Amino acid sequence: MSTRVRLSFLILVLTPSVAFAEAAPVSTPAEATQLNSWIQQGITQTLEGDRDQADATWKDLRAAAPTHPAGWVYQVDTLYWRQIYDEGDPRLDVEITEHAEHAVRLAEARIEKDAKDADAHYYLGQAFIQLGRLDGVRGELLSAGSLGEKGRGHLEQALEFDPDLLDARYPLGLYYYYADLATRWFKWLQFLWFVPTGNAPMGLRYIQETTEGDSHHRHDAQFILADISLEDEPQRTDLATELMDRMHARFPDNTLIHHRLIDTRFESGRYEDVLTEASKLAASTGGDSLDTLLRSTAPIWRARAFVQLGLPDRARAELSGFPEGGPDRPHWAGAWVRLTNAQILDMAGERDEALSSYRDVSGLAQPHAVRRAQLLADAGIEAPFVTARVASSLAAQAR
């Protein structure tokens, strides 16, 4: 999730009270440069894992430019980083909603003054999609789809008015990609009064372009591209590994990135590396509640690695006394604990007990973080578990 590289920022020589005089719209090149520098500072603090400092930066930006939507929209991005792997936690819902709705009002006010203000359309599109994402997580799919379509329309207008606005390509690419998947996963969406406008190939192209360009979202895009490469078909573990190696080298204190790095190591079959990195994850310190939750998963990673290395007793010891759930565990941790225990049972020849656990995992509701566990559980139901190396050896013998 080379040495740590910190971006150098333009020093804001003006105090917040005069940095954007009388909260006037950002219009001069100097004001735009100053705003962009401030935004990059907050984004980098978020990526470095210092989300509290990022919150302070966004607060300062909102005080300095109260009529500009940037401080509100990017604050929501930081809030989403706090819950990205624990979206079942509703504690940030009110704060996310209030900031995104305020950004909507500010962006709409700017568009009323200038209907072709590309930046205003970009921020408005971002805010609508942020609200839609929250509704989607909470099961309000009709509202989520409506807000998402509004956001898509404004992001497309932003690019129409300013084709060089690379920042707009990232949220638009996300929307195109995941809306396309949604209509394929949930066919009944076709019967609603809206059909999300998805285009997975174009969305993926926009995300890839963002990783390569000079966009505020380039590192977010790298993280999402790694996620897509691991979670969706066809799986590209080589690309995911390359991206997460690069991100972890740049942001070594970001526990979320470190956690995803371990994931790429596992999917690449580098199980000894998983053991090493999981121990480092467990020994890391600092951060917020998300960091604590992710550190708590280190025994699961170690157990899964021991299983693949053919050491079920070591795996069982890692999970001994480890609770499947609770306030100090991510909501998805239990699925992986139960799956790993099922594989251990399979290796011990206790097939009936293993099948019971596989079926428990397979029958869970399907949030994004549990989908791969369910695919593995379904495979365990079809045939007894064997390690990846044994499976590879058997396949070679069959040839």
Side-chain angles (χ1 to χ4, degrees), residues 31 143 204 268 319 321 324 338 370:
E31 288 173 339
S143 174
L204 192 58
S268 299
L319 296 181
E324 290 189 6
R338 190 161 298 189
V370 175

Side-chain angles (χ1 to χ4, degrees), residues 12-76:
L12 302 177
V13 295
L14 300 176
T15 63
S17 61
V18 296
F20 297 90
E22 298 180 1
V26 176
S27 55
T28 70
E31 288 173 339
T33 297
Q34 188 177 62
L35 178 69
N36 285 331
S37 177
W38 214 328
I39 291 170
Q40 190 60 64
Q41 177 175 328
I43 288 173
T44 302
Q45 288 164 340
T46 299
L47 290 166
E48 287 176 341
D50 195 350
R51 290 176 285 271
D52 289 342
Q53 190 57 52
D55 288 344
T57 296
W58 303 134
K59 183 178 180 180
D60 288 344
L61 178 53
R62 292 193 298 273
T67 64
H68 197 286
W72 307 88
V73 164
Y74 286 110
Q75 173 70 80
V76 175

Side-chain angles (χ1 to χ4, degrees), residues 277-344:
E277 294 298 334
S279 295
K280 290 180 181 178
L281 179 71
S284 64
T285 59
D288 55 20
S289 59
L290 172 62
D291 296 298
T292 301
L293 288 172
L294 293 177
R295 277 193 288 270
S296 77
T297 66
I300 301 176
W301 285 118
R302 291 178 60 82
R304 292 182 66 199
F306 280 131
V307 163
Q308 292 293 346
L309 291 168
L311 299 169
D313 290 342
R314 297 285 301 275
R316 195 188 301 271
E318 287 288 337
L319 296 181
S320 177
F322 188 90
E324 290 189 6
D328 57 347
R329 299 285 183 272
H331 71 279
W332 42 263
W336 288 104
V337 172
R338 190 161 298 189
L339 172 72
T340 306
N341 278 322
Q343 292 171 338
I344 294 170

Side-chain angles (χ1 to χ4, degrees), residues 35-210:
L35 178 69
N36 285 331
S37 177
W38 214 328
I39 291 170
Q40 190 60 64
Q41 177 175 328
I43 288 173
T44 302
Q45 288 164 340
T46 299
L47 290 166
E48 287 176 341
D50 195 350
R51 290 176 285 271
D52 289 342
Q53 190 57 52
D55 288 344
T57 296
W58 303 134
K59 183 178 180 180
D60 288 344
L61 178 53
R62 292 193 298 273
T67 64
H68 197 286
W72 307 88
V73 164
Y74 286 110
Q75 173 70 80
V76 175
D77 282 348
T78 297
L79 291 169
Y80 271 129
W81 269 96
R82 289 185 182 275
Q83 67 163 190
I84 192 170
Y85 268 6
D86 198 29
E87 291 183 332
D89 185 348
R91 286 177 293 179
L92 298 177
D93 286 11
V94 171
E95 194 173 356
I96 288 171
T97 300
E98 288 178 348
H99 282 82
E101 288 180 344
H102 196 82
V104 167
R105 291 192 292 271
L106 294 178
E108 286 179 336
R110 286 173 176 261
I111 291 171
E112 286 180 8
K113 294 179 181 179
D114 180 1
K116 294 185 178 182
D117 184 336
D119 281 339
H121 283 287
Y122 159 65
Y123 284 111
L124 184 55
Q126 275 262 77
F128 276 137
I129 287 178
Q130 288 170 340
L131 290 168
R133 173 181 173 178
L134 185 61
D135 279 355
V137 168
R138 299 296 170 250
E140 301 291 338
L141 297 184
L142 191 64
S143 174
S146 176
L147 288 165
E149 283 294 276
K150 285 183 181 179
R152 174 192 61 79
H154 285 286
L155 291 170
E156 287 176 342
Q157 283 187 291
L159 286 173
E160 177 185 344
F161 297 137
D162 183 359
D164 296 326
L165 186 56
L166 186 58
D167 280 349
R169 288 178 178 252
Y170 173 63
L172 187 56
L174 285 179
Y175 187 78
Y176 281 159
Y177 185 83
Y178 286 108
D180 195 353
L181 293 189
T183 54
R184 283 186 272 153
W185 289 342
F186 305 110
K187 297 298 185 184
W188 52 267
L189 285 176
Q190 302 289 340
F191 296 98
L192 298 177
W193 62 271
F194 73 91
V195 177
T197 304
N199 186 328
M202 181 179 290
L204 192 58
R205 177 164 61 85
Y206 276 6
I207 294 168
Q208 289 173 325
E209 288 175 356
T210 306

